[in-house]
Amino acid sequence: MTEINYLFLIPLLPLLGFLFNGLIGRNTSNKLVSLVGCLAPVASFAVALIGFQQLVGISTPSARILHQELYEWIGSGIFNIKFSLILDPLSVVMALIITGIGSLIHLYSTGYMHEDKSYARYFAYLNLFLFFMLVLVLADNLLLLFVGWEGVGLCSYLLIGFWFDDLDKAGAGRKAFIVNRIGDLGFFIGMALLFWLFKTLNFGEIRNAIAQNPAMIGAGTATAIGILLFIGAAGKSSQIPLYVWLPDAMAGPTPVSALIHAATMVTAGVYMVARMNCIYALSPVATGLVAFIGALTVFYAATISLAQNDIKKVLAYSTISQLGYMFVAVGVGAYAAGIFHLMTHAFFKALLFLGAGAVIHALAGEQDIRRMGGLREKLPVTYWTFFIGVMAIVGCPFLSGFFSKDEIIWYAYAGPHGHWLLWLLAVASAVLTMFYMMRLWFVAFTGEYRGSVDSGEPGANHLHPPSGWMKFALIILAAGSVLSGYVGIPHMWKSLAGVLGLQNLLGHNHFEKFLQPVFGTPLLSGRASMGAVPGAFVPTGLNNWSSMIITLNLLVVGLVMAWAIYFRRPEGDETFQKSLPGLWRLLQDKYRIDEVYGLIFVKPLIATGKFLDQRIDMGITAVTDFFGYCSYLFGRGFRSIQDGHMQTYIMAMTLGLIIFVLLMAII
Amino acid sequence: MPYEIPTIHVILLGATLFTIGMIGVLVRRNMLVILMGIELMLNGANVVFVGYARLLGDMGGHIWALSIMAVAACEIAIGLAVLVTLYRDRRTLDIDDWQLLKEKQVPKEPEFPG
């Protein structure tokens, strides 16, 4: 562990940006607001890069931890919490994603939001979000992580309800906040249990305690902690059953959806589960639950995505689905694969959302894919970058999503806690992903233009081309979507590397090796002959190559089906609608889960509230009102003697004196 | 031996003065007359102080009488100044016309709950 002194700058710079934009941004020009708002994350990214460079400069991987203690936050008996930050391989990956993609989205926002009247407030919230998110990933103990966790929840709420004069949007923000609180309760109880057991919340200390004496925490306790923490993660990362807030969160501005509800905040749950891998390693039940819920969510969200017509809703369900993949990975024990997919997903999903934002911006707020189409001539940059994003997310070979998703699918079967059922769900969902993304692509981007906004002369109703910074962000993210997979090419490619003469590039999985100090021995996904590391597991049965080939074949089937139904046929939904009308309606209504939750939870809660208000509370008020009325009556009795005639007062005084004297005389 | 006034006479005189003053304070409307009544009451008290001081041979009573006179002088100086100001303001010294501290309107009664 190396002590350094510049780590605090990473979260501090966005905080300064927030203070500037929040306090005086309103009274300055939009140019200054954009300058400060964008400079903060860019500078923070630069500091993170310096940290990364110093980190890889340390030759022993296990010593790759940079640490800075700022001050003792809570010191109370045995409960000592320090405000200290760490930069280890896991948090540096997260910090680079957050500040890097965050910077691009800030730059994009300068174009997207330029007409908004609350420009400074927008940048203030966005900077505040970055601050909390960086506190979350840089924290060296669970309580400080929780501060960031709640902080990003707050910013998410503020930004979903950014246009709060629309009551539906304000309600969406409230829904996100309340659903997250349910998850946070689980997280908090899990944290309390951890403290009760270990008398510390520091990650390193918990890890060492378990490493020294794995028997100190029983399987049952580990399961309880694991499940409770996962409830928190399910709330934040929108897994079943707490996923309902994320689709509604699309009410916020589109860059916010890209940053918070796709690339960074929603992955916090995955990060947290990966961070607590030492606990999950002790409980097969908890990890099994994480993987199972993840796999269920992948499939479930992908099916809903098939029938959505709002471009942002399709992407929202797709995000839930991709987050499910990450949970499958961390659930089966392939933590590095989960974080790898987190990173590649951050690139291509941010790209897809920003591309969707560019389309929405260009078409003056149109979000329905049925009224788009023919965007190739109108928005060429958006068209091609979005295409790259689609290719990356569906797992087109040699793009980033291919490597990360294929690794997860393989581990779903062959990981330490893998199961063929998980594999099946993961593969089926990959095919569904191919189908719904191609549907989105064919309907929204190709064919004839069907929109109402005309592309002719300028005016309120004309096509807005994306600004320079918007194009810049799209192009950089597209490059990232193509290239980011090459940092972690799975080991299986090693056998091919020799043939192609690319030993240094293929098959080394630098990413997994880099993360090894955090996650322990890498899982060698190669053939048994390559599993030379003692203790590494050796999968049997399905081979990783055959897994990939099966998946790719099925993906081609999905692509051909989507092509047949939707290519040059924006009305392709009718095919589905006619053949399976019931299922179609069910999917379009998102399985009516919101209505079910409304019936089971919301309505009884409102009824209870009404009962307590009108029966219990009013009854209590009546009792206190009675006493209030008594004191009024008492006071009214004395009012008549305060009549304002001074001589009455003197008379009362005199009579009192006389009575007093008489009493004295008698006694 | 010169004629000695019995103490009871002195006490009765003081009581009489005090009562006359008090009745004046209680029944008269004019503030000036009320102020005069207060002076009579103070002097009635003074007479009683002096009477008892003579009876008991204690100089304390005399001293009290003198201090009461001093206080009464101060009081009447301020009181008269207040009266002049009041008179200038409203051209009346009727005590019933000066009720500024009384609450103007009786507040609405709250309803009985339930």
Side-chain angles (χ1 to χ4, degrees):
Chain A
M1 199 189 296
T2 316
E3 286 290 333
I4 53 167
N5 57 5
Y6 60 82
L7 209 48
F8 74 101
L9 285 173
I10 300 178
L12 182 72
L13 290 163
L15 182 67
L16 291 178
F18 158 69
L19 289 176
F20 177 83
N21 280 336
L23 294 177
I24 48 177
R26 226 168 66 161
N27 304 321
T28 57
S29 67
N30 277 6
K31 270 204 177 122
L32 192 60
V33 168
S34 336
L35 186 72
V36 173
C38 296
L39 213 56
V42 170
S44 181
F45 179 60
V47 179
L49 272 180
I50 294 169
F52 177 65
Q53 201 184 14
Q54 191 178 351
L55 202 65
V56 291
I58 300 170
S59 49
T60 29
S62 59
R64 281 180 181 164
I65 299 175
L66 301 180
H67 182 262
Q68 184 180 19
E69 186 183 324
L70 293 173
Y71 59 91
E72 183 163 9
W73 177 27
I74 300 171
S76 162
I78 54 163
F79 190 66
N80 284 302
I81 304 292
K82 294 197 170 75
F83 198 108
S84 50
L85 307 173
I86 48 165
L87 200 69
D88 67 352
L90 177 58
S91 51
V92 81
V93 168
M94 294 298 292
L96 286 174
I97 294 172
I98 293 159
T99 52
I101 292 183
S103 302
L104 290 173
I105 291 173
H106 275 72
L107 291 172
Y108 177 95
S109 299
T110 58
Y112 189 83
M113 297 297 284
H114 71 102
E115 282 175 344
D116 200 275
K117 60 181 193 298
S118 306
Y119 193 75
R121 181 163 64 94
Y122 174 80
F123 274 94
Y125 288 166
L126 223 52
N127 280 339
L128 184 67
F129 167 77
L130 279 189
F131 163 71
F132 279 123
M133 193 67 206
L134 288 165
V135 168
L136 195 162
V137 297
L138 294 176
D140 88 330
N141 60 67
L142 211 51
L143 198 68
L144 193 57
L145 184 150
F146 193 64
V147 171
W149 187 273
E150 291 299 305
V152 292
L154 167 73
C155 294
S156 161
Y157 160 77
L158 290 172
L159 283 163
I160 295 168
F162 182 72
W163 292 307
F164 53 79
D165 36 13
D166 181 339
L167 280 184
D168 284 347
K169 291 181 174 171
R174 221 161 42 229
K175 183 172 175 184
F177 202 75
I178 292 167
V179 174
N180 265 301
R181 290 292 78 67
I182 299 169
D184 292 347
L185 182 68
F187 187 6
F188 206 85
I189 298 171
M191 195 154 67
L193 262 179
L194 267 177
F195 181 76
W196 176 64
L197 278 172
F198 293 99
K199 306 286 177 257
T200 175
L201 289 174
N202 185 293
F203 299 131
E205 287 168 19
I206 291 176
R207 212 178 135 137
N208 289 341
I210 293 178
Q212 275 167 12
N213 181 14
M216 73 173 286
I217 149 170
T221 325
T223 304
I225 293 173
I227 290 175
L228 285 166
L229 292 182
F230 179 64
I231 292 173
K236 185 77 35 200
S237 297
S238 91
Q239 298 294 295
I240 291 173
L242 298 176
Y243 72 92
V244 287
W245 65 272
L246 189 59
D248 288 24
M250 297 299 124
T254 309
V256 169
S257 311
L259 177 63
I260 301 185
H261 306 119
T264 57
M265 184 191 84
V266 288
T267 61
V270 181
Y271 166 79
M272 194 263 288
V273 173
R275 179 58 87 186
M276 301 311 293
N277 64 72
C278 49
I279 297 289
Y280 284 95
L282 296 176
S283 167
V285 180
T287 46
L289 183 82
V290 172
F292 179 69
I293 296 277
L296 218 57
T297 310
V298 180
F299 187 75
Y300 175 84
T303 55
I304 297 178
S305 224
L306 294 173
Q308 299 301 310
N309 284 323
D310 182 328
I311 187 168
K312 288 184 76 180
K313 284 273 158 72
V314 177
L315 292 177
Y317 281 105
S318 150
T319 304
I320 297 174
S321 172
Q322 299 299 314
L323 288 167
Y325 274 120
M326 297 173 208
F327 276 110
V328 170
V330 295
V332 298
Y335 298 104
I339 299 296
F340 185 36
H341 193 58
L342 190 161
M343 180 187 75
T344 57
H345 174 257
F347 279 104
F348 58 68
K349 190 49 69 64
L351 170 63
L352 288 172
F353 264 115
L354 295 189
V359 173
I360 295 167
H361 182 71
L363 302 183
E366 182 60 65
Q367 297 200 7
D368 194 324
I369 56 171
R370 289 167 300 190
R371 286 198 288 277
M372 294 177 181
L375 299 177
R376 186 170 159 189
E377 289 79 27
K378 294 181 195 303
L379 304 163
V381 176
T382 314
Y383 180 88
W384 287 113
T385 51
F386 198 91
F387 181 70
I388 292 171
V390 170
M391 284 298 114
I393 192 176
V394 298
C396 170
F398 308 111
L399 266 61
S400 61
F402 165 69
F403 292 116
S404 58
K405 201 190 279 186
D406 188 58
E407 206 182 353
I408 289 175
I409 290 173
W410 161 237
Y411 280 127
Y413 171 74
H417 305 285
H419 195 271
W420 61 267
L421 195 64
L422 299 177
W423 182 85
L424 206 64
L425 278 171
V427 172
S429 315
V431 178
L432 288 177
T433 308
M434 171 63 100
F435 189 82
Y436 70 71
M437 286 312 293
M438 291 322 289
R439 167 178 176 265
L440 176 64
W441 171 250
F442 287 140
V443 175
F445 282 80
T446 63
E448 294 291 307
Y449 178 65
R450 303 177 298 277
S452 52
V453 178
D454 76 84
S455 51
E457 56 271 20
N461 200 29
H462 79 292
L463 202 80
H464 300 47
S467 74
W469 282 117
M470 288 166 78
K471 283 183 194 160
F472 173 77
L474 288 172
I475 291 167
I476 298 286
L477 284 171
S481 303
V482 176
L483 298 174
S484 64
Y486 288 91
V487 299
I489 298 169
H491 286 278
M492 57 187 278
W493 293 88
K494 212 170 195 170
S495 50
L496 210 62
V499 181
L500 297 174
L502 294 167
Q503 287 92 337
N504 282 330
L505 181 65
L506 295 179
H508 274 271
N509 205 344
H510 295 292
F511 194 76
E512 189 174 6
K513 268 194 202 135
F514 181 60
L515 289 173
Q516 184 188 343
V518 186
F519 297 138
T521 319
L523 309 160
L524 287 184
S525 65
R527 294 189 178 124
S529 61
M530 278 188 273
V533 175
F537 86 108
V538 181
T540 51
L542 194 67
N543 179 294
N544 47 12
W545 284 101
S546 49
S547 159
M548 186 184 87
I549 288 162
I550 293 170
T551 314
L552 280 179
N553 279 321
L554 288 171
L555 283 183
V556 172
V557 172
L559 175 65
V560 170
M561 273 173 67
W563 181 285
I565 298 176
Y566 290 106
F567 185 64
R568 297 198 184 285
R569 280 186 67 230
E571 71 286 356
D573 284 345
E574 286 169 11
T575 319
F576 195 174
Q577 222 166 347
K578 270 176 198 152
S579 49
L580 293 163
L583 184 64
W584 174 260
R585 221 172 312 121
L586 195 65
L587 291 181
Q588 214 161 27
D589 295 348
K590 307 140 194 168
Y591 293 104
R592 304 193 186 103
I593 287 294
D594 276 330
E595 286 76 4
V596 173
Y597 279 6
L599 211 63
I600 301 178
F601 299 112
V602 181
K603 259 195 182 165
L605 210 62
I606 290 175
T608 316
K610 266 199 179 135
F611 173 75
L612 289 176
D613 174 38
Q614 287 170 2
R615 295 278 170 271
I616 309 294
D617 193 51
M618 291 302 272
I620 294 169
T621 318
V623 174
T624 49
D625 276 356
F626 172 73
F627 287 111
Y629 192 72
C630 285
S631 69
Y632 166 75
L633 289 179
F634 189 66
R636 197 174 61 176
F638 283 95
R639 177 184 287 151
S640 58
I641 60 168
Q642 299 278 339
D643 67 349
H645 294 276
M646 202 182 69
Q647 281 163 329
T648 320
Y649 305 157
I650 301 172
M651 182 64 88
M653 239 165 71
T654 315
L655 286 176
L657 199 68
I658 290 167
I659 292 168
F660 185 69
V661 169
L662 283 178
L663 280 176
M664 291 278 284
I666 293 166
I667 298 169
Chain B
M1 191 180 166
Y3 177 70
E4 182 111 342
I5 302 170
T7 306
I8 184 69
H9 290 188
V10 180
I11 305 300
L12 280 176
L13 174 65
T16 314
L17 279 175
F18 187 88
T19 312
I20 292 168
M22 195 167 76
I23 289 166
V25 169
L26 285 175
V27 302
R28 296 305 296 260
R29 291 287 177 81
N30 192 315
M31 279 192 244
L32 197 62
V33 182
I34 289 172
L35 218 53
M36 287 157 68
I38 291 172
E39 287 304 304
L40 270 184
M41 289 165 75
L42 285 169
N43 282 312
N46 270 352
V47 170
V48 175
F49 266 119
V50 174
Y52 276 115
R54 265 172 53 108
L55 178 68
L56 301 173
D58 183 348
M59 288 306 285
H62 296 283
I63 293 165
W64 271 116
L66 283 171
S67 13
I68 287 172
M69 277 181 206
V71 171
C74 300
E75 176 249 311
I76 203 74
I78 294 169
L80 282 175
V82 171
L83 288 196
V84 168
T85 320
L86 290 178
Y87 184 73
R88 276 188 187 163
D89 188 39
R90 233 186 258 176
R91 297 274 152 191
T92 171
L93 284 179
D94 190 323
I95 191 114
D96 287 339
D97 288 344
W98 292 95
Q99 297 186 340
L100 289 178
L101 292 180
K102 185 189 172 189
E103 73 185 318
K104 291 267 162 18
Q105 275 176 329
V106 179
K108 203 174 143 260
E109 285 199 14
E111 281 173 35
F112 185 75

